[in-house]
Amino acid sequence: MTESHAANSEINAAEEYELVTTRVINASPALVYEAWTKPEHLAQWWGPNGFTNTFHEFDLRPGGTWEFVMHGPNGVDYPNKSEFVEIGPERIVLRYLYDPHFQLTATFEDLGGTTRLTMRQLFEDEAVFNAIKEIASLHTKENLDRLEAHLQKMSI
C-alpha cells in the first residue's frame, strides 16, 4: 500500500468478531457503487492480488445469488457463493454461504466528490474470526487497492 493509501485507510475490530476496513477513495459514490454492482467491473477487481474471477451467477437483488470462482495465481480455484441481503446506492449487504461464514456490509459515504468506503466483515464466531483476521485484513487491503486501480480506468 502506498503512503497515500495508508493515510486514507483504517482497519480495526469494531465488534467482537468483526473486521472493519475504511478507505477514502478518489471517486464519486455513484462510480464506486457501479464498480460493486456491475459484474463486468466487479470481476476485474474482486479478490486479492493475482486472482481472476469467473462469474456463474450474479442476481443483484435481496435474496439473489452471486456465485463465482476465484482463480488463484497458484492455479487453485476457489468456489464462492453469497446471497445478497440488501442492495441500495449507499449500502450493500451480502452473506457468504461457504466456509468461513460471514456477513459483508459495504457502505458508500459521499464526501463531496470522494467516497468513504467502509467494509464490515462480521464472522460467525471467535475461532473463525481469530483464524482468519490477519489474512482477511491483508486480502481486503489488496482488494481495495485493485478497486481503486479499476476505478481509475473507469473514469478515463
Side-chain angles (χ1 to χ4, degrees):
M1 181 176 351
T2 66
E3 285 184 29
S4 65
H5 289 151
N8 291 325
S9 294
E10 179 182 327
I11 294 180
N12 61 60
E15 290 189 23
E16 207 168 344
Y17 314 128
E18 185 174 49
L19 180 67
V20 180
T21 306
T22 302
R23 184 176 292 184
V24 175
I25 296 177
N26 189 23
S28 70
L31 193 64
V32 176
Y33 185 77
E34 182 179 340
W36 274 78
T37 57
K38 303 274 177 148
E40 63 270 22
H41 293 299
L42 189 59
Q44 298 302 308
W45 65 267
W46 189 260
N49 291 340
F51 281 73
T52 59
N53 297 288
T54 301
F55 284 21
H56 299 292
E57 183 175 359
F58 190 80
D59 184 5
L60 186 69
R61 63 177 177 80
T65 300
W66 175 22
E67 191 167 2
F68 63 103
V69 175
M70 291 176 59
H71 309 287
N74 58 357
V76 176
D77 288 341
Y78 301 90
N80 286 262
K81 187 172 185 179
S82 297
E83 176 185 16
F84 292 104
V85 176
E86 183 181 332
I87 302 296
E90 296 175 351
R91 177 176 152 120
I92 295 172
V93 180
L94 58 90
R95 186 174 308 116
Y96 190 71
L97 301 176
Y98 292 169
D99 283 330
H101 296 280
F102 64 93
Q103 182 165 292
L104 172 67
T105 301
T107 58
F108 315 100
E109 182 183 348
D110 189 349
L111 300 178
T114 61
T115 303
R116 177 179 293 126
L117 170 61
T118 301
M119 292 176 59
R120 304 177 81 91
Q121 295 167 278
L122 181 59
F123 292 88
E124 61 185 1
D125 63 42
E126 182 178 12
V128 169
F129 177 73
N130 287 334
I132 200 163
K133 67 183 174 183
E134 286 185 34
I135 193 74
S137 293
L138 173 64
H139 287 178
T140 299
K141 286 180 191 177
E142 291 176 353
N143 209 11
L144 293 180
D145 290 346
R146 293 181 69 192
L147 169 61
E148 285 188 294
H150 187 73
L151 286 165
Q152 289 177 352
K153 294 175 191 171
M154 287 175 67
S155 52
I156 292 175

